Amino acid sequence: MAETTRPEPRYGNRPTMKDVAARAGVGLKTVSRVVNGEPGVTPETERRVREAIDALGFRRNDSARVLRKGRTATIGLVLEDLADPFYGQLSRAVEEVARAHGTLLINGSSAEDPEREQELALTLCARRVDGLIVIPAGDDHRYLEPEIRAGVATVFADRPAGLLDADAVLSDSFGGARAGVAHLIAHGHRRIGFIGDRPRIHTAAERLRGYRAAMEDAELPVDEGWVASGPTDPERVAAALAGMLSGPEPVTALFAGNNRVTVTAVRTLAGRAGGEHPVALVGFDDVELGDVLGVTVIAQDPAALGRTAAEQLFRRLDGAAEAPRQVVIGTRLLARGSGEVPPPPV
């Protein structure tokens, strides 16, 4: 019977500086100098050490440097949804700023769950990140007070912190929504619906406030049947829109409170029976293929949000000690056709 041989273990032990020193035939201190870029090593000796490092696959263990310097050269980013293109652009901008500062970015998604947000943020703190950028899911961030006192720089993006005085970088949700609804009014609409996210979310509340302000500016009444706030799942949004389009005086235009609502609205309106007068649509935040589909939007700048938040975070890490500040980044109207549809003739 043939003898079976056990396969070699796939994963071995990490090579150490002692292994590098033995292979290169030098002392441990010499390897340390090469690894840390310190002077005092001849070119020939450095060459032998580098060859040994490459042959062994040695990687420096930064734990000792962390203990010595008190910094890990990592920051954390807590997002709402990593799959959302808006947050993808924001995350990329944060990563670019972090990379320019020689820092690694670790991110995760809260899935709009306050408990998950807190768990993720505190886990990142336990891993000794130097700073945090948080897109809030909850409305009470006092759980971060001990971490901030311990030196974890913290900046909030897209939405402000709840019950905590901290830096924040926001889009102009109120002003953008007000401008979007005013655009519909300028094209002759008087019965304008609003479908938004859950009202406890800061951005959703600000956009609803902007909608009401624009209607008030034009001295137009708001039928509460034209307003629907809640989860942005397609079924809820489609049902809300169907309700607004029914009855003797349906809405002639819709302001969608975020990109998910806009996408569902586009699909729902595209499925209406032929011959019905088109409903005007303006969405807050751009959507994929919005330019091709002709969807008028109030566009945010997620890259500017992420970049500005990251730059403020590194200002704090570099010792900036001014009072917490709030930066508001403007929005812009992109008129593409859907928001310029006139109401049906009376």
Side-chain angles (χ1 to χ4, degrees):
M1 183 174 173
E3 183 180 346
T4 58
T5 58
R6 298 182 65 182
E8 290 292 321
R10 183 176 179 186
Y11 303 108
N13 294 323
R14 289 181 181 273
T16 65
M17 281 202 289
K18 188 178 292 186
D19 298 325
V20 174
R23 186 180 182 97
V26 299
L28 196 58
K29 181 61 178 176
T30 300
V31 176
S32 177
R33 284 175 175 157
V34 172
V35 168
N36 292 300
E38 297 172 357
V41 182
T42 65
E44 173 59 23
T45 300
E46 181 176 354
R47 182 189 63 76
R48 295 208 318 272
V49 172
R50 294 288 181 195
E51 287 179 353
I53 287 172
D54 291 341
L56 293 171
F58 171 79
R59 293 292 181 271
R60 182 177 64 185
N61 184 343
D62 282 339
S63 298
R65 294 177 72 247
V66 169
L67 290 174
R68 186 169 67 250
K69 296 187 176 183
R71 294 277 287 270
T72 63
T74 58
I75 62 171
L77 172 61
V78 179
L79 297 162
E80 176 193 336
D81 181 1
L82 288 167
D84 189 319
F86 175 87
Y87 292 115
Q89 293 180 60
L90 188 152
S91 175
R92 177 65 179 270
V94 172
E95 186 175 25
E96 288 176 354
V97 175
R99 185 178 180 186
H101 285 81
T103 298
L104 177 69
L105 174 67
I106 306 171
N107 59 29
S109 172
S110 70
E112 202 62 63
D113 181 343
E115 290 186 5
R116 186 166 169 177
E117 173 216 295
Q118 179 173 339
E119 178 185 4
L120 179 56
L122 292 179
T123 298
L124 289 167
C125 290
R127 290 179 178 271
R128 301 287 301 276
V129 294
D130 299 323
L132 280 177
I133 296 175
V134 180
I135 286 89
D139 52 12
D140 185 350
H141 293 92
R142 289 175 293 182
Y143 70 86
L144 282 171
E145 285 179 338
E147 307 300 332
I148 293 172
R149 285 196 300 269
V152 180
T154 305
V155 176
F156 290 79
D158 193 36
R159 307 163 189 170
L163 305 179
L164 180 70
D165 194 17
D167 291 319
V169 180
L170 317 173
S171 288
D172 186 7
S173 287
F174 170 77
R178 191 177 193 175
V181 176
H183 184 73
L184 291 168
I185 293 170
H187 282 81
H189 294 278
R190 299 295 177 264
R191 299 194 303 274
I192 302 171
F194 174 91
I195 302 179
D197 211 329
R198 288 162 286 221
R200 68 171 177 79
I201 298 172
H202 172 81
T203 48
E206 284 295 284
R207 292 166 197 174
L208 176 56
R209 192 167 70 88
Y211 160 82
R212 293 189 183 279
M215 296 293 278
E216 184 179 341
D217 291 343
E219 298 182 348
L220 295 176
V222 174
D223 186 319
E224 291 307 313
W226 301 345
V227 177
S229 296
T232 57
D233 57 276
E235 294 77 13
R236 201 279 301 184
V237 172
L241 181 53
M244 293 179 189
L245 295 175
S246 63
E249 290 194 321
V251 299
T252 63
L254 175 70
F255 185 80
N258 66 26
N259 53 5
R260 292 184 293 275
V261 174
T262 302
V263 169
T264 299
V266 168
R267 288 176 174 156
T268 302
L269 294 174
R272 298 180 79 209
E276 292 185 275
H277 191 85
V279 175
L281 172 67
V282 174
F284 197 105
D285 201 15
D286 210 350
V287 294
E288 190 173 5
L289 298 180
D291 54 341
V292 176
L293 297 171
V295 181
T296 297
V297 297
I298 300 296
Q300 300 187 80
D301 191 342
L305 273 174
R307 184 171 56 253
T308 305
E311 288 170 349
Q312 178 62 9
L313 186 72
F314 281 101
R315 275 174 46 79
R316 293 297 186 189
L317 289 172
D318 289 340
E322 70 264 25
R325 62 189 189 122
Q326 183 170 291
V327 178
V328 178
I329 295 175
T331 58
R332 58 196 178 106
L333 174 71
L334 301 180
R336 295 168 172 159
S338 70
E340 294 69 55
V341 176
V346 179

